[in-house]
Amino acid sequence: MSSYSDRRMLSQHWKRSRWSGWNCRKNSKPWSNSMPRIDELSHHDSRHEPLSHDVFWQFSYSHYFKADVEAACLALQTFHRGSVNLALLMIWLDTQAIDLTQQQRQQLEQSLQPTEGLLERYRHMRRSLKPQLDGNGYQQLKDFELQMERQQQHDLIATLNQMPLSTVAQQEAASHSANLARYCHGLGAMALVDKLLAK
């Protein structure tokens, strides 16, 4: 995103439509009985059950709109060329005490290559076309961008499900944030870790 206001406009639409397919209205369950809950995914080993991209999508919505997280994601993307979806995945895995190796993180980064360049070009095009479009036309561009971001999350989970995953020791689980810290360290973005974690 080129500006904070642009990100805010996109995120407001995110709240309205990005998650609407899950029927997340008041008094409705955010996922069906057949879909694993986040707390059911808290312990995995090399024989882990497949992780759900829908559960990850729901977690991303819940976490992204916590205090400071949205601004930190924008800073990560704009100033450090980081992936918001990958950062959210690192946070999600940390909440489940799943510990990735360096090779596994690199594989996840590689899985983003087909969509990351496309997303960057699309964002540039959307910004350049904004003065020429009415509100409805610009909204359609944002809708399509959200579809591409969801595809990114799907690609990440598909790659993750091909990996043997391990968990940290139970006594370390409560404060585990190693995946996010390692990812941010590689980007030179350690100053953003606490804000990304909504601390």
Side-chain angles (χ1 to χ4, degrees):
M1 306 300 167
S2 59
S3 67
Y4 180 78
S5 61
D6 220 19
R7 186 75 180 188
R8 289 295 300 178
M9 290 177 62
L10 187 59
S11 65
Q12 287 169 3
H13 174 65
W14 200 6
K15 292 177 181 178
R16 293 194 303 271
S17 65
R18 188 170 191 173
W19 319 97
S20 60
W22 293 339
N23 190 27
C24 293
R25 300 185 299 272
K26 185 177 181 181
N27 298 326
S28 295
K29 294 183 179 180
W31 48 76
S32 67
N33 292 334
S34 61
M35 187 179 297
R37 301 191 311 273
I38 291 175
D39 60 358
E40 292 176 336
L41 298 173
S42 57
H43 298 287
H44 296 276
D45 55 23
S46 60
R47 299 175 302 280
H48 72 281
E49 296 178 2
L51 300 175
S52 167
H53 62 84
D54 287 328
V55 177
F56 173 40
W57 189 259
Q58 172 69 19
F59 171 85
S60 297
Y61 168 74
S62 175
H63 188 79
Y64 185 82
F65 296 108
K66 292 181 179 178
D68 295 329
V69 174
E70 182 180 356
C73 285
L74 175 61
L76 185 76
Q77 177 178 278
T78 304
F79 302 114
H80 301 277
R81 299 186 65 82
S83 166
V84 172
N85 280 327
L86 188 53
L88 289 170
L89 180 62
M90 296 298 100
I91 297 168
W92 186 51
L93 295 178
D94 282 338
T95 64
Q96 301 174 68
I98 294 176
D99 199 34
L100 299 179
T101 66
Q102 180 178 355
Q103 181 180 8
Q104 288 173 327
R105 290 193 304 276
Q106 290 173 344
Q107 288 177 315
L108 289 170
E109 290 183 34
Q110 290 171 2
S111 75
L112 292 176
Q113 291 180 359
T115 51
E116 193 63 26
L118 180 62
L119 264 170
E120 288 184 8
R121 293 192 296 272
Y122 186 85
R123 288 168 185 147
H124 177 75
M125 180 194 72
R126 174 174 58 78
R127 292 192 294 267
S128 65
L129 290 176
K130 184 176 182 180
Q132 307 172 35
L133 299 173
D134 59 16
N136 182 62
Y138 190 64
Q139 188 64 62
Q140 291 182 43
L141 293 183
K142 292 191 292 183
D143 289 344
F144 186 72
E145 183 176 340
L146 293 175
Q147 292 178 34
M148 288 193 290
E149 289 195 13
R150 180 158 191 173
Q151 181 61 48
Q152 266 202 346
Q153 289 204 353
H154 189 281
D155 293 343
L156 285 169
I157 295 300
T159 301
L160 196 63
N161 280 331
Q162 297 175 19
M163 302 175 180
L165 300 180
S166 60
T167 56
V168 299
Q170 184 175 2
Q171 60 269 27
E172 301 175 26
S175 60
H176 183 68
S177 60
N179 293 311
L180 179 65
R182 290 167 187 157
Y183 178 59
C184 287
H185 182 268
L187 297 172
M190 287 299 292
L192 295 175
V193 170
D194 282 350
K195 289 185 176 181
L196 287 167
L197 292 172
K199 289 186 176 179

